[in-house]
Structure formats: C-alpha cells, structure tokens
Amino acid sequence: MKTYLVTGATSGIGEATALQLAQEGHTVLALGRNEERGRDLERRGEGRINFFPVDLSIPSDINRFFEDTKEQFPTLDGIFNNAGTFGKPVAPERVTDQQKEVFQVNYHAPEQIIQHAVKRLSRGASIVNNSAIVGHVKFPAMLLPYASSKSALLTLTKTYAARFHGKYRFNAICPGPVDTKLSHSLYGGKDKFDLAMKHHLRGEAAQPSEIAEVVCFLLSDKASYINGQTLVVDGGYTLT
Ligand SMILES: NC(=O)c1ccc[n+]([C@@H]2O[C@H](COP(=O)([O-])OP(=O)(O)OC[C@H]3O[C@@H](n4cnc5c(N)ncnc54)[C@H](OP(=O)(O)O)[C@@H]3O)[C@@H](O)[C@H]2O)c1
C-alpha cells in the first residue's frame, strides 16, 4: 500500500480522490483550508486519511507542512496537485495584481510542493497535476489568470517528466466541467450550472468520482508507461 498527498481534498475532485485512495487501502495526506470538512473527511477515510490545514496561497504554510510531516511520512509514492481557484472573472485588459493569488495557488504551490517532495519520493512515484481544458483547448476571455496558470502547469508537468527520465512520472489531467462548488460559483449557482450543462455533449457535467477514477489510475503502477502526458477528461465536451 502507498502514501499519497492530495491537495484540495476538502471538496469536489480532491475529496473524491482522497476517498477512493483510502478505499483502495492507501494512506492519504489530505490538504485543505476548511478544518470542519477536513476532519469530516478523516472520519470517512477508514483511518487512512490524515487531514492537514494548509493555505496554499501562503508559501510558509507549505514549508511548515513538509517540515511537520517529514518524520511520520518520510516517503511519498505520489501527489495529486489538485487545489485550484478561478479568482474573480475579469476582462483580460483589467487583470490586476489581485489576480496574483490565482497563480500562487494554481501554479506556484504545486511547484513548491514538487520541489519539497522530490526529496521524499519513492522510485516510480507518480505526480498528477490538475490542469483544465481552460488554458489548453478553451480560452474564455474572462478567465485569463486561471487559464494561464493552468497552461503553465502543463509546462511544469512536461518539464519535470523530461527532467527525471521516468524515475518519477509526471502527468496532467484537463477536466471538462465537473459538478463541484467551484464550477457552481462560476455559473452563479448549481441550478444555473445544471441548466448550462444541458448544452454539454452528453447533457451533463462529470461527477467528481468520474475524475477521481482517472487520477487514481494515473497515480497507480497500472499507468507505469504513461509519462509527461496531458489527458483531457471531458466526456467529449470540447468536440462541440
Ligand atoms: N469543477 C470543474 O469544472 C473543473 C474543471 C477543470 C479543472 N478543475 C480543477 O479541479 C480542481 C479542484 O476543483 P473542484 O472543481 O473540485 O472545486 P472545489 O470543490 O471547489 O474544490 C476546490 C478545492 O481547492 C481547495 N483550495 C482552494 N484554494 C485553496 C488554498 N488557497 N489553499 C488550500 N486549498 C485551497 C479548496 O479547499 P478549501 O475548501 O478547504 O479552502 C477545495 O478543497 C481545481 O484545480 C480546478 O481548477 C475543475
């Protein structure tokens, strides 16, 4: 059984992934800000999920997490860099410094996590970065900081894959719309989101568990020959 680090584990795709990994018998270090949801996740994690409150917009929080866990969890077998934020949708020509937090959480935090983790990764460890179709195959004008941070994450993924020659694997997923709080907030609530999803190729968004299934595969040794790849997981959304 393996030990995995999952960020953004208190909700949506990260929560579904943490729970699936625990069900498969793995130990999960689950990061998030919401303590109540984090403790609840621990309770549902069959004794295998350990919650750590970490705000990824604060680099010293990330340093502290790695320092605090180095003795209890000296080896990591994989990471799901999942946490993300849209920031405030704004026209590209109006982007200000306030949007810098988007880049911090979506790009710099995964980068910092990988820099720390490479000292603890087991041979064959797998890193999966959660990017998006936005910034890869779709470019909504109001989401420039989000899209560019997710695009940068793809470059980070491929650069690290090339750097380590298969000693550790680095892949990215690009989900289409998923039924989570993040996407509800972008559409102005769940009802509006569900209505908009009627125009999805299959008439509805993904459930977080459908994305978790793909992530758990990429994290596992079953995906041992997949490295440096970007996998679009969108139910055909970008075909239309
Ligand atoms: N939903 C979609 O349609 C979609 C599509 C493509 C890609 N994605 C990507 O999927 C990832 C997960 O999003 P989701 O859809 O599952 O949304 P979600 O349910 O809202 O979950 C977002 C997670 O990110 C965490 N997070 C956000 N800012 C953080 C910060 N500063 N520090 C620590 N944790 C932070 C949240 O933790 P707390 O709640 O504890 O703060 C939460 O656990 C994101 O990277 C997103 O870009 C989503």
Side-chain angles (χ1 to χ4, degrees), residues 2-10 14 18-19 21-22 25-35 37-54 65 68-69 72-73 75-76:
K2 296 181 186 260
T3 300
Y4 292 108
L5 188 165
V6 176
T7 69
T10 47
L19 287 170
L21 289 170
H26 304 297
T27 298
V28 181
L29 313 193
L31 274 59
R33 288 175 302 185
N34 187 319
E35 291 239 22
R37 290 187 63 92
R39 298 298 166 210
D40 179 58
L41 181 70
E42 277 187 330
R43 277 190 287 280
R44 290 182 291 145
E46 306 180 25
R48 300 195 185 96
I49 297 183
N50 306 270
F51 172 68
F52 297 90
V54 175
F65 161 76
D68 288 352
T69 56
Q72 196 182 354
F73 302 102
T75 305
L76 294 172

Side-chain angles (χ1 to χ4, degrees), residues 176-215:
V178 187
D179 191 358
T180 68
K181 282 193 295 183
L182 189 78
S183 40
H184 300 167
S185 68
L186 188 67
Y187 282 78
K190 174 152 172 63
D191 291 347
K192 287 185 181 155
F193 175 72
D194 287 344
L195 197 60
M197 287 305 113
K198 299 222 179 295
H199 299 289
H200 191 297
L201 186 83
R202 72 170 198 182
E204 59 182 4
Q207 288 307 306
S209 58
E210 293 181 87
I211 309 297
E213 196 70 57
V214 178
V215 175

Side-chain angles (χ1 to χ4, degrees), residues 8 10-11 13 33-34 55-56 82 130 146 150 175 178 180 182:
T10 47
S11 180
I13 299 167
R33 288 175 302 185
N34 187 319
D55 187 336
L56 298 176
N82 162 72
N130 196 349
Y146 178 77
K150 292 297 190 178
V178 187
T180 68
L182 189 78

Side-chain angles (χ1 to χ4, degrees), residues 14-213:
E15 178 184 45
T17 304
L19 287 170
Q20 182 170 334
L21 289 170
Q23 277 155 17
E24 290 174 2
H26 304 297
T27 298
V28 181
L29 313 193
L31 274 59
R33 288 175 302 185
N34 187 319
E35 291 239 22
E36 200 182 323
R37 290 187 63 92
R39 298 298 166 210
D40 179 58
L41 181 70
E42 277 187 330
R43 277 190 287 280
R44 290 182 291 145
E46 306 180 25
R48 300 195 185 96
I49 297 183
N50 306 270
F51 172 68
F52 297 90
V54 175
D55 187 336
L56 298 176
S57 69
I58 306 172
S60 58
D61 251 34
I62 299 172
N63 293 339
R64 183 178 43 78
F65 161 76
F66 277 95
E67 185 60 31
D68 288 352
T69 56
K70 70 179 178 200
E71 276 165 26
Q72 196 182 354
F73 302 102
T75 305
L76 294 172
D77 302 299
I79 301 168
F80 182 32
N81 274 314
N82 162 72
T85 177
F86 279 133
K88 198 169 163 226
V90 62
E93 60 276 21
R94 294 224 193 97
V95 170
T96 64
D97 277 3
Q98 279 179 335
Q99 272 80 32
K100 281 191 176 158
E101 183 177 329
V102 176
F103 243 88
Q104 169 57 32
V105 174
N106 294 0
Y107 177 80
H108 290 298
E111 181 182 45
Q112 192 184 344
I113 286 171
I114 292 168
Q115 285 173 344
H116 274 288
V118 284
K119 298 164 202 152
R120 290 199 214 173
L121 292 177
S122 59
R123 179 167 276 276
S126 170
I127 291 79
V128 178
N129 295 320
N130 196 349
S131 181
I133 52 171
V134 174
H136 182 49
V137 285
K138 280 186 93 82
F139 300 90
M142 306 300 272
L143 290 179
L144 176 61
Y146 178 77
S148 48
S149 64
K150 292 297 190 178
S151 178
L153 198 52
L154 297 180
T155 304
L156 180 86
T157 304
K158 287 173 187 278
T159 303
Y160 264 99
R163 161 91 177 132
F164 281 105
H165 296 237
K167 184 177 172 191
Y168 317 125
R169 293 182 297 110
F170 294 83
N171 292 291
I173 57 159
C174 292
V178 187
D179 191 358
T180 68
K181 282 193 295 183
L182 189 78
S183 40
H184 300 167
S185 68
L186 188 67
Y187 282 78
K190 174 152 172 63
D191 291 347
K192 287 185 181 155
F193 175 72
D194 287 344
L195 197 60
M197 287 305 113
K198 299 222 179 295
H199 299 289
H200 191 297
L201 186 83
R202 72 170 198 182
E204 59 182 4
Q207 288 307 306
S209 58
E210 293 181 87
I211 309 297
E213 196 70 57

